[in-house]
Amino acid sequence: MQWLLIAISLAFMGLFLVMPLYAVFHEALRQGVGVFFQSLQSRDAQSAIRLTLLVAAIAVPLNVVFGICAAWAIAKYEFKGKAFLITLIDLPFSVSPVISGLVYVLLFGSGSLLGPWLRANGVEILFAVPGIVLATIFVTFPFVARELIPLMQDQGTGDEEAAISLGANGWQTFFRVTLPNIKWGLLYGVLLCNARAMGEFGAVAVVSGKIRGQTTTMPLQVEMLYNEYNGTAAFALASLLALLALVTLVLKSILEWRFGDELAASGRH
Amino acid sequence: MQVSVKNVRKEFDRFPALHDVSLDIVSGELIALLGPSGSGKTTLLRLIAGLEYPTSGAIYFGDEDASHKSVQERNVGFVFQHYALFRHMTILENVSFGLKVRPRETRPAAAEIRRKALELLDLVQLSGLEKRYPNQLSGGQRQRVALARALAIEPRVLLLDEPFGALDAQVRRELRKWLREIHDRTGHTTVFVTHDQEEALELSDRLCVMSQGRIEQVGTPDDVYDRPASPFVFGFIGESSELPATVENGEFWVDGRAIGVAATDQAPGKGKLYFRPHDVDLVEADAALAGVVAGHRRVGGTRRVELSVGGDHRKVELDLPFDHPAGEKTRLAFRPRRWRFFPEAV
Ligand SMILES: Nc1ncnc2c1ncn2[C@@H]1O[C@H](COP(=O)(O)OP(=O)(O)OP(=O)(O)O)[C@@H](O)[C@H]1O
Ligand SMILES: [Mg+2]
């Protein structure tokens, strides 16, 4: 029985996870390594990679800061509307990314209240990098906060109170006591946040306008290339994303294995 | 440092945890806050520390009003019930934390900090363990690190919240003696919270008994044990029995019988008579309290007999020496030798 179950799950995973992964790399390298690297070096591919890195480089640190603030507030203080705030943090997980993107279109588009004013002042948000960053921040917001809230709730305020009673000020308390206590959980959250920030398709597709070489991130570029029957180039770029996923997976497993007791995720999920 | 708590009230979301509490803590004394769970001991301690602010009233450190000062400004040493050691720091780093976070002008040199921390570890008898992490220590050792860490900042007052609460009886007794020694050696004004009366009686210079957010009595252990100020204190400190009694003709009456105990200095009226199991004399007279033996058990070196007294079978406990012949009887007559009478509130 045990073996049957294991065999079924292995077969299932093979069919739905390993095969596609294999297919991606297989397609990418079908015409040889030379073509693979060539397609990665094309101007559009390079710009897509740069944009993706840029977006992640802005969205991830911001979400680290927001996530820590939100988790801190929720875990260490009592206030009205706390339950509501927790629900709000989960919102990006529960709405379809396409809707998240559309919200920004409604907010900043030409038909919106802000749109004409923004245009008059020369601020471009939609169909430009700021829009992509905003959409990415929205979609990836929960990762850090969700990882930290249970962790910080578990740890309580004892250590912080000890630190301030010993004379430490707010910053010293945060950097010397709180941060070291949550560092592995934070890293875990950052990892997931980053993977999603680089891989996000839906929300970004809505706000980007897909201007080639300017507002296409890697996932968008993959789709565009694929639609143009440029399979090798599409899969070459896709293989980078797949690689990112694999690296994330490995790092995540290492964190879980090595610091399991300091992560909220392992005990709870 | 003399600390005065003046008419302090503390509410949590309108729920009063402390009502109008006043307490003067004498410089250099070791005072215990004793009371049942939920009586407000921790709240009072945290108010003194500045981890909590009073809803009304004031807290003075010496002549200075510290009510609105932050924890950092108050410079108190706080030892938490669950130690709250920094788990990612070694023992040495834990102890030196308070000195390392000082602003540059008042921070000692690194070598001086280290020397001081090692000296404190020596004081708490943990020399040689400075490189360990908190999770590599026993509970008793952790508690001593927590104390050393609090002492490192040269606090004006040392506050301990159930310092031995999480330890087993043996270790508790050892640490208790040891805390007393440290206190006598360093001379810090010390307030510690406990709900263990034995600990409070043995360790403190004075104790402050609390109940339901109020102070019931403050006094030396002898005062509180021998002259409890209220029925609550009598019942809470030490073993005791109570019986409803009436004062008439300068005598106590229980169940309509005079019990042969003179009611010295008591006004006539109804009330409750309190006495301790070891403060009774067995008698053969008629004018006495009498009860049926309902059971006995061993308590330390004595036999504690449980009697059921009167028509409504009120439980009374007496201590007898083990070899006392009365231990075999089924019925005993006795008189309280020392007692306290609390008249019913009119
Ligand atoms: N942060 C808080 N929020 C709301 N109520 C609180 C808070 N802290 C304490 N209380 C309440 O105040 C009362 C006194 O609590 P406190 O912790 O001072 O009791 P204690 O004497 O230390 O009890 P214990 O021996 O169980 O530690 C309790 O009824 C408690 O529920
Ligand atoms: Mg308490």
Side-chain angles (χ1 to χ4, degrees):
Chain A
M1 191 60 196
Q2 185 191 359
W3 293 112
L4 184 68
L5 286 176
I6 293 178
I8 291 177
S9 29
L10 278 182
F12 191 83
M13 285 207 305
L15 195 64
F16 287 94
L17 297 174
V18 180
M19 282 249 297
L21 214 54
Y22 170 77
V24 168
F25 287 105
H26 182 78
E27 283 297 322
L29 295 167
R30 186 200 282 278
Q31 293 173 28
V33 184
V35 180
F36 173 81
F37 280 112
Q38 223 160 34
S39 48
L40 284 185
Q41 274 160 7
S42 78
R43 230 175 46 98
D44 290 352
Q46 289 282 312
S47 118
I49 294 172
R50 262 201 307 277
L51 181 60
T52 298
L53 291 177
L54 175 71
V55 169
I58 299 172
V60 174
L62 282 177
N63 271 342
V64 166
V65 175
F66 294 155
I68 291 177
C69 291
W72 187 295
I74 286 170
K76 314 230 165 177
Y77 296 104
E78 288 304 321
F79 54 92
K80 281 209 186 72
K82 191 158 142 174
F84 179 67
L85 186 60
I86 296 176
T87 319
L88 214 59
I89 287 176
D90 278 344
L91 187 69
F93 276 171
S94 45
V95 301
S96 154
V98 177
I99 312 277
S100 319
L102 280 175
V103 171
Y104 284 96
V105 173
L106 288 179
L107 223 74
F108 301 117
S110 50
S112 73
L113 274 177
L114 281 172
W117 183 85
L118 288 172
R119 183 128 33 101
N121 287 281
V123 183
E124 277 187 277
I125 291 185
L126 275 189
F127 314 129
V129 176
I132 298 175
V133 172
L134 281 177
T136 307
I137 289 177
F138 179 81
V139 174
T140 58
F141 179 71
F143 288 100
V144 173
R146 284 260 295 215
E147 177 60 30
L148 292 185
I149 290 168
L151 190 64
M152 286 178 137
Q153 270 172 339
D154 244 26
Q155 292 179 346
T157 48
D159 283 13
E160 280 78 15
E161 287 187 339
I164 59 171
S165 81
L166 291 166
N169 62 34
W171 290 115
Q172 288 171 323
T173 305
F174 177 73
F175 284 108
R176 292 178 182 228
V177 174
T178 308
L179 200 57
N181 275 345
I182 59 168
K183 62 178 178 233
W184 298 117
L186 185 62
L187 189 58
Y188 190 92
V190 166
L191 210 60
L192 299 184
C193 181
N194 182 58
R196 180 69 188 266
M198 291 192 171
E200 175 55 26
F201 179 83
V204 171
V206 177
V207 296
S208 104
K210 298 185 187 166
I211 306 166
R212 196 178 279 269
Q214 285 182 28
T215 64
T216 45
T217 59
M218 283 164 72
L220 297 183
Q221 184 75 14
V222 170
E223 197 223 10
M224 284 161 67
L225 289 170
Y226 185 75
N227 286 345
E228 293 158 5
Y229 303 105
N230 193 346
T232 309
F235 281 108
L237 214 47
S239 69
L240 285 190
L241 286 172
L243 214 59
L244 169 73
L246 288 176
V247 170
T248 305
L249 206 64
V250 170
L251 289 178
K252 181 169 167 288
S253 311
I254 293 177
L255 275 181
E256 277 167 9
W257 166 70
R258 179 75 181 72
F259 303 104
D261 50 336
E262 293 179 44
L263 298 178
S266 55
R268 246 159 259 265
H269 298 201
Chain B
M1 173 69 47
Q2 150 117 19
V3 177
S4 306
V5 177
K6 296 190 171 160
N7 305 97
V8 161
R9 180 180 176 83
K10 175 66 186 173
E11 293 175 6
F12 292 108
D13 302 328
R14 317 283 294 282
F15 167 85
L18 290 178
H19 313 259
D20 194 29
V21 164
S22 296
L23 176 65
D24 282 319
I25 298 162
V26 182
S27 187
E29 78 172 333
L30 179 56
I31 185 168
L33 301 179
L34 176 65
S37 191
S39 55
K41 309 179 294 288
T42 299
T43 305
L44 180 53
L45 201 69
R46 290 172 61 87
L47 282 163
I48 297 175
L51 290 168
E52 219 72 78
Y53 291 95
T55 309
S56 67
I59 291 166
Y60 281 79
F61 277 37
D63 293 330
E64 153 207 24
D65 185 353
S67 313
H68 300 288
K69 296 231 151 130
S70 67
V71 202
Q72 290 97 333
E73 289 168 315
R74 290 192 202 188
N75 192 29
V76 294
F78 203 105
V79 176
F80 295 83
Q81 181 172 358
H82 298 288
Y83 326 126
L85 295 180
F86 306 129
R87 68 205 94 176
H88 59 279
M89 295 183 201
T90 63
I91 302 311
L92 188 69
E93 287 167 340
N94 263 284
V95 176
S96 27
F97 183 86
L99 295 174
K100 283 190 187 157
V101 296
R102 282 201 187 156
R104 185 158 295 136
E105 313 85 70
T106 54
R107 183 172 44 201
E112 170 63 15
I113 292 180
R114 187 183 158 80
R115 194 193 57 74
K116 182 127 192 248
L118 287 172
E119 189 183 295
L120 280 163
L121 282 176
D122 190 43
L123 178 74
V124 300
Q125 297 159 9
L126 288 176
S127 300
L129 299 187
E130 63 267 13
K131 292 215 182 72
R132 296 228 194 143
Y133 284 88
N135 62 7
Q136 298 169 318
L137 297 185
S138 74
Q141 290 172 328
R142 285 181 209 180
Q143 194 54 279
R144 285 185 275 163
V145 175
L147 184 66
R149 184 177 70 175
L151 288 173
I153 61 168
E154 283 157 19
R156 296 197 284 178
V157 191
L158 191 57
L159 306 168
L160 304 105
D161 192 1
E162 306 216 15
F164 314 128
L167 305 171
D168 66 53
Q170 178 82 29
V171 183
R172 279 174 91 110
R173 266 195 296 276
E174 269 168 34
L175 281 185
R176 216 186 274 169
K177 217 178 294 157
W178 168 85
L179 177 65
R180 181 76 230 185
E181 279 168 24
I182 295 237
H183 174 265
D184 293 345
R185 200 142 16 125
T186 59
H188 281 103
T189 309
T190 307
V191 186
F192 79 99
V193 165
T194 176
H195 55 237
D196 180 343
Q197 39 155 311
E198 196 191 320
E199 189 167 291
L201 290 168
E202 184 183 325
L203 192 53
S204 61
D205 295 321
R206 287 200 306 157
L207 48 97
C208 164
V209 186
M210 299 184 62
S211 159
Q212 298 180 0
R214 290 195 168 81
I215 291 182
E216 293 275 335
Q217 187 172 5
V218 183
T220 62
D222 288 347
D223 267 345
V224 173
Y225 193 87
D226 294 334
R227 288 173 290 280
S230 67
F232 171 82
V233 178
F234 209 116
F236 187 70
I237 309 272
E239 306 286 332
S240 68
S241 301
E242 57 168 89
L243 286 172
T246 315
V247 176
E248 232 179 280
N249 304 332
E251 257 196 308
F252 283 115
W253 297 66
V254 173
D255 282 339
R257 287 201 327 175
I259 60 168
V261 177
T264 329
D265 299 333
Q266 302 294 328
K270 283 187 186 174
K272 282 210 168 124
L273 186 66
Y274 284 77
F275 51 90
R276 303 206 185 275
H278 50 83
D279 283 340
V280 298
D281 293 321
L282 292 184
V283 293
E284 295 293 334
D286 269 351
L289 283 161
V292 181
V293 176
H296 41 75
R297 60 199 151 90
R298 187 189 180 99
V299 176
T302 60
R303 187 200 299 272
R304 178 152 305 161
V305 182
E306 193 182 312
L307 292 182
S308 142
V309 173
D312 36 4
H313 304 291
R314 262 183 292 268
K315 210 185 83 183
V316 166
E317 292 185 326
L318 320 176
D319 281 351
L320 296 181
F322 254 94
D323 46 3
H324 198 284
E328 304 303 317
K329 288 196 187 168
T330 55
R331 209 182 146 74
L332 291 175
F334 66 94
R335 282 180 194 146
R337 182 177 352 123
R338 299 200 326 161
W339 45 263
R340 261 185 97 79
F341 181 74
F342 295 101
E344 242 166 46
V346 217

